[in-house]
């Protein structure tokens, strides 16, 4: 007779959900290998695509740290305070679903749209000597292939959508845990709940400031991430207006 902890039993009861998460991760990885659609870029279209090619203020490897690992750390802190394995499991599951579903949606749209980034000119022509097809007028890029590939993936902003997916879910979670809607008027609670959304918004702003995205890319990314995080939270938790913002059993 084998012993199973409550956490492992709970995970096994949701094994299909964890397998779907794995499948989503594989799909998202494959989407990043696909060559995006190369939208036509004529010489007269380069005016808004000649911004400096700068380094990211927030590198892509940093996104999972603040949008996934920090929220999970907060979930664990609530677990030690309340010893609610059901809450920890569902919060982690919901966060990962929110992030991976958002990632798949974002990368599908990126590959299908193929919108050039604001710094496309320097990606395409690192020597700053433009070359265009004599027949079609389309660009004939002379830069590094991988850099050019990323240059066609402006819409929507992945940094922004992932940020709002993870931090948006965290905002929902905190609003339930600290009972921000208890009608007692604690403005400090509201500020705490809005903080993750502010951080996500600031991440989006850096994408415009770095000239990696147009403002419409960031706006669309925020809508996608916030929408998915809301749906994923409400699939696993009651509205934050309910007592404690969590279920009491499995």
């Amino acid at each position: 007779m084998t012993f199973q902890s409550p956490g492992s039993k709970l995970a096994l009861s949701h094994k299909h959900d964890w397998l779907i998460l794995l499948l989503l991760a594989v799909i998202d990885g494959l989407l990043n290998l696909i060559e995006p659609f190369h939208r036509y870029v004529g010489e007269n279209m380069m005016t808004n695509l000649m911004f400096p090619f700068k380094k990211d203020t927030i590198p892509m490897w940093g996104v999972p740290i603040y949008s996934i690992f920090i929220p999970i750390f907060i979930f664990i802190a609530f677990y030690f305070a309340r010893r609610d394995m059901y809450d920890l499991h569902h919060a982690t599951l919901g966060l990962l679903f929110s992030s991976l579903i958002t990632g798949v949606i974002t990368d599908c749209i990126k590959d299908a749209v193929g919108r050039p980034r604001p710094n496309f000119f320097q990606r395409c022509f690192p020597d700053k000597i433009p070359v265009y097809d004599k027949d079609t007028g389309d660009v004939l890029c002379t830069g590094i292939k991988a850099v050019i590939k990323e240059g066609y993936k402006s819409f929507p902003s992945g940094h922004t959508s992932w940020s709002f997916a993870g931090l948006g879910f965290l905002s929902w979670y905190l609003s339930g845990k600290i009972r921000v809607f208890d009608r007692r008027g604690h403005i400090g609670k509201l500020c705490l709940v809005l903080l993750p959304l502010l951080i996500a918004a600031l991440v989006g702003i850096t994408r415009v400031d770095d000239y990696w995205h147009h403002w419409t890319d960031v706006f669309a990314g925020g809508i996608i991430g916030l929408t998915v995080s809301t749906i994923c939270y409400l699939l696993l938790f009651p509205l934050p207006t309910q007592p404690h913002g969590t279920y009491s059993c499995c």
Side-chain angles (χ1 to χ4, degrees):
M1 184 176 181
T2 58
F3 172 77
Q4 286 186 333
S5 67
S8 61
K9 288 181 179 180
L10 189 55
L12 284 173
S13 68
H14 288 271
K15 59 181 179 296
H16 295 102
D17 293 321
W18 289 99
L19 288 173
I20 292 173
L21 277 176
L22 180 60
L23 177 61
L24 287 171
V26 172
I27 292 173
D28 193 49
L30 292 175
L31 287 171
N32 280 282
L33 298 177
I34 295 174
E35 187 70 26
F37 172 69
H38 285 207
R39 182 179 290 192
Y40 175 85
V41 183
E43 185 174 3
N44 62 341
M45 300 170 64
M46 277 292 185
T47 304
N48 295 322
L49 305 177
M50 300 181 70
F51 290 92
F53 186 12
K54 300 169 56 179
K55 288 185 177 181
D56 299 283
T57 299
I58 301 174
M60 193 61 203
W61 58 261
V63 178
I65 293 176
Y66 66 77
S67 68
I68 296 178
F69 293 117
I70 290 179
I72 289 177
F73 177 79
I74 294 174
F75 300 158
I76 293 173
F78 273 100
Y79 167 74
F80 282 116
R82 300 186 179 184
R83 297 294 176 176
D84 188 343
M85 179 57 69
Y86 183 83
D87 179 83
L88 174 61
H89 175 270
H90 275 51
T92 304
L93 185 67
L95 175 72
L96 294 177
F97 263 124
S98 178
S99 298
L100 287 173
I101 290 173
T102 295
V104 170
I105 292 174
T106 299
D107 288 328
C108 277
I109 297 174
K110 278 180 177 289
D111 290 340
V113 173
R115 185 182 191 183
R117 296 184 186 271
N119 55 24
F120 181 78
F121 181 87
Q122 290 196 19
R123 288 172 175 271
C124 187
F125 308 118
D127 55 4
K128 298 182 180 181
I129 301 175
V131 181
Y132 299 92
D133 188 284
K134 292 182 180 179
D135 296 324
T136 65
D138 196 9
V139 292
L140 296 174
C141 292
T142 58
I144 301 172
K145 186 176 180 180
V147 175
I148 297 169
K149 176 182 176 181
E150 280 299 312
Y152 282 101
K153 301 175 76 171
S154 187
F155 183 88
S157 168
H159 275 66
T160 310
S161 64
W162 275 72
S163 297
F164 274 95
L167 296 176
F169 189 93
L170 176 61
S171 183
W172 275 104
Y173 180 85
L174 290 174
S175 66
K177 289 297 167 293
I178 66 177
R179 304 183 68 181
V180 71
F181 299 111
D182 61 3
R183 295 181 176 85
R184 296 183 180 181
H186 297 300
I187 196 66
K189 290 183 178 182
L190 178 62
C191 292
L192 183 61
V193 167
L194 292 179
L195 180 60
L197 298 179
L198 174 60
I199 295 173
L202 290 174
V203 170
I205 291 171
T206 67
R207 304 308 289 160
V208 179
D209 291 346
D210 292 341
Y211 307 118
W212 278 62
H213 287 286
H214 309 274
W215 74 266
T216 47
D217 305 334
V218 170
F219 183 79
I223 294 296
I224 292 170
L226 195 56
T227 300
V228 174
S229 64
T230 300
I231 293 172
C232 288
Y233 178 84
L234 295 178
L235 280 172
L236 294 166
F237 293 94
L239 286 169
T241 52
Q242 300 296 319
H244 308 301
T246 186
Y247 295 113
S248 59
C249 69
C250 56

